[in-house]
């Protein structure tokens, strides 16, 4: 991986992806803490409270400083309301993301993923991958829309830098 600086923000048509901040905790905890969101996330405790949110913000900042991961909060541009989060583990390219229930099904997941993929490849990651629960059809649809390919009949999806560039040239 290159020594390129981690991005401070990524912008999409409707969202800004930026590092989590302590002042965000009270606004994102109710979103990720809802069972219908948390149940799909392998590394999120439930119930998820304010202290969990504060611990997460500190961990995300430490991981950023150590270049272990890039974890970003997605906020709407029009009102700065958090809608979800996305991150990439920089050691192996694992991508994870979540959306609060009021913000699901309207394309935010695809926007977040489309923003982080080129940023991760610019940091020198040769491939990105994600794991989904077998019955999480929505997440599978987001991954496939962005160009991730199923590795096999399991729950793993992958996108390589070369494949992404090919898709970008074809769809540009």
């Amino acid at each position: 991986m290159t020594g390129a600086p981690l991005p401070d923000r990524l912008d999409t048509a409707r969202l800004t992806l930026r590092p989590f901040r302590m002042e965000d905790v009270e606004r994102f905890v109710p979103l990720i803490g809802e069972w219908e969101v948390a149940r799909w996330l392998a590394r999120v405790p439930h119930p998820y409270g304010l202290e969990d949110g504060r611990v997460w913000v500190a961990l995300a900042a430490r991981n950023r400083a150590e270049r272990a991961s890039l974890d970003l909060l997605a906020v709407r541009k029009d009102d700065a309301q958090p809608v979800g989060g996305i991150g990439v583990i920089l050691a192996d390219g694992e991508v994870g993301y979540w959306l609060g229930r009021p913000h699901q099904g309207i394309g935010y997941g695809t926007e977040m993923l489309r923003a982080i993929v080129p940023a991760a490849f610019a940091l020198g990651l040769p491939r990105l991958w994600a794991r989904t629960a077998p019955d999480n059809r929505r997440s599978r649809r987001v991954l496939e829309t962005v160009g991730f390919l199923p590795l096999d009949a399991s729950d793993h999806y992958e996108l390589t830098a070369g494949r992404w560039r090919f898709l970008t040239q074809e769809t540009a």
Side-chain angles (χ1 to χ4, degrees), residues 6-56:
L6 300 182
D8 287 326
R9 71 184 279 158
L10 300 172
D11 288 298
T12 72
R14 300 177 293 170
L15 303 172
T16 296
L17 283 60
R18 59 154 175 84
F20 287 80
R21 303 175 187 147
M22 283 298 174
E23 59 266 24
D24 298 322
V25 171
E26 290 187 10
R27 296 187 314 147
F28 78 76
V29 164
L31 297 173
I32 196 169
E34 188 172 344
W35 173 244
E36 284 302 315
V37 174
R39 76 185 191 108
W40 300 109
L41 305 173
R43 298 183 185 108
V44 174
H46 186 77
Y48 191 94
L50 293 175
E51 184 57 24
D52 296 304
R54 288 188 281 274
V55 167
W56 168 249

Side-chain angles (χ1 to χ4, degrees), residues 30-97:
L31 297 173
I32 196 169
E34 188 172 344
W35 173 244
E36 284 302 315
V37 174
R39 76 185 191 108
W40 300 109
L41 305 173
R43 298 183 185 108
V44 174
H46 186 77
Y48 191 94
L50 293 175
E51 184 57 24
D52 296 304
R54 288 188 281 274
V55 167
W56 168 249
V57 171
L59 177 62
R62 185 170 64 246
N63 285 343
R64 180 183 182 82
E66 295 172 359
R67 295 184 64 89
S69 65
L70 174 62
D71 299 297
L72 302 171
L73 179 67
V75 298
R76 288 190 304 225
K77 284 183 173 181
D78 62 356
D79 62 3
Q81 171 65 38
V83 301
I86 190 165
V88 178
I89 297 173
L90 299 176
D92 70 357
E94 181 181 6
V95 177
Y97 51 89

Side-chain angles (χ1 to χ4, degrees), residues 68-138:
S69 65
L70 174 62
D71 299 297
L72 302 171
L73 179 67
V75 298
R76 288 190 304 225
K77 284 183 173 181
D78 62 356
D79 62 3
Q81 171 65 38
V83 301
I86 190 165
V88 178
I89 297 173
L90 299 176
D92 70 357
E94 181 181 6
V95 177
Y97 51 89
W98 61 272
L99 283 168
R101 283 193 37 129
H103 311 292
Q104 295 177 2
I106 54 176
Y108 286 150
T110 301
E111 274 186 54
M112 292 178 355
L113 198 53
R114 281 189 172 143
I116 208 157
V117 163
F121 287 147
L123 292 170
L125 287 166
R127 89 190 221 326
L128 298 175
W129 67 278
R131 179 178 297 133
T132 64
D135 54 344
N136 191 345
R137 289 181 293 281
R138 283 181 156 187

